Amino acid sequence: MDAREATLALLAARAEGATVCPSEVARALAGPDGDWREAMPEVHAAVDQMVSDGLVRLSWKGRSLATRAGPYRIGRGG
C-alpha cells in the first residue's frame, strides 16, 4: 500500500466530513515496527498530489487550507 491508497482507505473508513491526520497515514505505512516519521515525506508528497487532483481537501482547526503548510488535517475532496 502506498500513501495515496492508505489516505483514501483511512478516509473511507471514517464518517462523512471526518478527517485524518497525516501521521495516521504514516503510521499505517510504517506498520507496527516501523518508524512512521520516516514515512512523512511520502505522505506529504501524496497529499500534495491528491489536493492538486481534487481528491482531498486540507484544513486546520476547521479552517480550509489551500495548500499544505504547517499542521493540517486531510478530508475527502469535493
Side-chain angles (χ1 to χ4, degrees):
M1 180 178 305
D2 65 16
R4 177 184 168 118
E5 292 170 329
T7 302
L8 295 175
L10 285 167
L11 285 171
R14 302 281 166 95
E16 188 69 31
T19 61
V20 297
C21 181
S23 67
E24 291 177 76
V25 179
R27 285 179 173 91
L29 294 176
D33 299 323
D35 181 359
W36 63 270
R37 289 171 189 86
E38 291 179 7
M40 287 304 293
E42 179 185 350
V43 172
H44 292 319
V47 166
D48 290 345
Q49 185 60 54
M50 289 189 295
V51 167
S52 178
D53 293 343
L55 295 174
V56 299
R57 61 177 174 73
L58 304 179
S59 63
W60 183 244
K61 295 189 177 186
R63 294 183 149 179
S64 181
L65 300 174
T67 60
R68 180 180 57 78
Y72 65 97
R73 301 282 298 181
I74 307 162
R76 290 182 181 97

